Amino acid sequence: MITARDIVLRHNTRTLLDHASMGLLAGERVGLVGRNGSGKSTFLRILMGELPPDGGEVIRQRDLVMGYLPQEFALDEGLDVQSNVRMGARHVLALLDEFERLPGDSPRHATLEERIRHFDGWGLEHRIKSALTELGCPPADAPVARLSGGEKRRVALARAIVSRPDVLVLDEPTNHLDTGSIEWLVGYLRDYPGALLVVTHDRHFLDEVTNGIVELRNGIFERYEGNYTEYLVARADKLAAEELSEHKRQMFLRREIEWVRRRPKAQTSKSRARLDRFHEADSKAPPPSEGEMDLVIPPPPQLGNRIVDLADVGLVLGGRRLFSHISLSFAPGTRVGVTGRNGMGKTSLLRVLLGSLPPTEGEVRVGPLTRFNYVDQGRLQLDDSRTLLDAVGDGPDWVQWGEERLSLRAYLRRFLFPEDRMSTQVRLLSGGERSRLLLARILKNGGNFLVLDEPTNDLDLPTLRVLEEALMGFPGCVVVVSHDRYFLDRVCTHTIAFEGDGRVEVVVGNPTYHLEKQRRAAAAVGAASQGSAATAAAAPAAPTRKRKLSYNEQRELAGIEEVILAAEAKVADMDASLASPDFQKSFGPRIPDFLASHEAAKADVARLYARWEELSARA
């Protein structure tokens, strides 16, 4: 469909793309991953023809129609929501208009009809209405000029996808989407017949949608087949092979250096050939190492016996009940994920927790040693004219790190900012670098109770993994609102799920456990209903008594959720090992055994769920 060949792109003294090539075939769904600042978004602009490269070319199939959601998009401020979305399907609307104006015996009739079917033009209006609803867009007649940034982004996403173009290019499509909208988008893209290239940090989205991953690494593209999880396994194998190859090269050089030092004076052809091999091996560069962000959360002050207790808390705001009957006592290490659609009251719950909004009912009891550190959605404003050091330091050139002081430069290095970037002005940073800088600025304030509202937006995948590790190792408490299910699954010990209409469920376990529990409960109820209907329709038979649970089975059912949680925790730990940059170092030749154990652990979780469903249905 489209090919980028030998693309070269330089930015100041950096080479972002170094003769990089990749192609996109019909029906492929490819995720483009790489560190923030590596050039992913810039490459998408080159692919769309918005930015000329310094070298190379982009070759497109004839009459190719492309849809595009950039990070920096523009809507027509003079139009309403629906008119902006329809602009994304101008080529389809033009085909429909011409088709309707043509006489029935026109020779162009069949060609137009084929093109309209190709883009499913007859279903366009239905798709527009569905996209506006499922993506949580404002009303169709709402003026775009009055929308917030998040609302505009949802409108821009709907505009990009409704025409079903030949190639769809999406840059961070899940930003500002809630969980329900993301699941709808996943289903939509699974059925999308064209080619897809997507840049996103949402690993659950990548797992569900993509059938190939391309990593932009050191200026070139590296291709992996399969979804994100399969990419992690293949990448770990590749890095292990690179490390082994470099180890062999270093061993060879050490041996040859000794021979060079004591080689005979006579220059025989054999000794010259050996010397040539030495120089050839010596001239090869080792595989470039990728820096990993260090632990980013300062050690917290000690917690008291009471941390935070939510006792039957509820809130009515503007005449609308947002939530009620929320009870939860925090212990050290409690990490709570808050999920639900936008506008249900998740941020209001955080404000109640922090004491900035009084609850309508119930009580929030905060311990005397509890120190909150709140990272809100808007976070802090950055002054584009300041340098990184000034933006984080605000005067002092040190940061309090537990009982010690850490220099500002050492602190910024923990967020992967090299020395030569620390004097850079904020306006020159990429989106991901700005996000890391904001985290550095806020997290330096410490605290033993972190409240994070959408902390994952714009963070790249390596930074997300390190943030997850930091939160899992944090000895204090964490409450995090996020639509990134992969992130919440790894981090959270509890879930507060906003279900709608003021219904909120507090669950021990992560969001996937909660969703799986709901799904299996619904399936059990459905099976029971079908069984009842079938029994009623059948001819009367001698009454039979359903076998009740035995005493041991009752005990098994009472404790099976804890067993499931432990089994899922084991899988989560293995997932964390698999995602770790040190995976190949830690396991080496034991990688096949580890992967087999990983599959067995996942099968054990499935078995436990099946047993739980069986016992629950009988109970």
Side-chain angles (χ1 to χ4, degrees), residues 105-133:
D105 58 351
S106 171
R108 184 164 163 72
H109 203 279
T111 303
L112 280 175
E113 193 169 14
E114 183 181 347
R115 289 291 286 169
I116 291 171
R117 275 202 306 269
H118 174 73
F119 295 114
D120 190 19
W122 310 119
L124 175 63
E125 296 301 331
H126 171 74
R127 277 200 309 281
I128 290 175
K129 184 182 296 185
S130 178
L132 289 174
T133 301

Side-chain angles (χ1 to χ4, degrees), residues 558-575:
I560 198 168
E561 289 197 24
E562 292 296 327
V563 177
I564 290 174
L565 283 175
E568 289 195 319
K570 180 180 178 182
V571 172
D573 288 343
M574 298 181 83
D575 287 341

Side-chain angles (χ1 to χ4, degrees), residues 81-82 85 127-140 155 158:
V81 167
Q82 180 160 317
V85 173
R127 277 200 309 281
I128 290 175
K129 184 182 296 185
S130 178
L132 289 174
T133 301
E134 298 295 343
L135 294 177
C137 295
V155 172

Side-chain angles (χ1 to χ4, degrees), residues 193-359:
L196 171 69
L197 180 62
V198 58
V199 172
T200 180
H201 66 271
D202 189 325
R203 291 153 294 178
H204 171 70
F205 183 87
L206 288 173
D207 260 348
E208 294 294 321
V209 169
T210 61
N211 55 24
I213 299 291
V214 172
E215 182 180 12
L216 177 51
R217 180 173 172 234
N218 304 314
I220 60 172
F221 296 117
E222 298 178 358
R223 180 68 181 251
Y224 298 86
E225 298 303 321
N227 62 14
Y228 180 75
T229 298
E230 291 164 325
Y231 149 77
L232 284 179
V233 176
R235 187 178 189 272
D237 290 342
K238 181 174 182 177
L239 292 179
E242 286 182 358
E243 187 175 339
L244 180 60
S245 177
E246 174 61 13
H247 176 70
K248 289 180 177 178
R249 187 179 77 92
Q250 293 295 337
M251 292 290 291
F252 170 76
L253 288 175
R254 278 195 287 271
R255 289 195 308 269
E256 296 303 291
I257 285 172
E258 290 300 317
W259 175 83
V260 168
R261 286 173 178 166
R262 56 182 172 77
R263 75 181 190 275
K265 299 281 185 175
Q267 292 294 310
T268 66
S269 59
K270 186 174 182 180
S271 66
R272 280 198 301 271
R274 186 169 181 178
L275 196 59
D276 289 341
R277 287 197 301 273
F278 166 76
H279 288 306
E280 181 184 358
D282 189 41
S283 65
K284 291 180 180 178
S289 60
E290 296 183 343
E292 291 292 335
M293 196 163 68
D294 204 347
L295 183 68
V296 298
I297 303 176
Q302 186 175 357
L303 288 162
N305 291 329
R306 168 178 285 169
I307 301 172
V308 173
D309 292 336
L310 301 178
D312 208 29
V313 171
L315 180 67
V316 177
L317 205 59
R320 176 183 165 215
R321 176 167 293 279
L322 297 180
F323 53 84
S324 58
H325 305 300
I326 295 181
S327 297
L328 180 63
S329 293
F330 286 83
T334 299
R335 300 184 298 276
V336 178
V338 185
T339 66
R341 281 190 174 272
N342 291 332
M344 285 187 173
K346 303 187 297 296
T347 299
S348 297
L349 173 62
L350 300 189
R351 293 176 60 198
V352 169
L353 178 69
L354 294 165
S356 62
L357 184 65

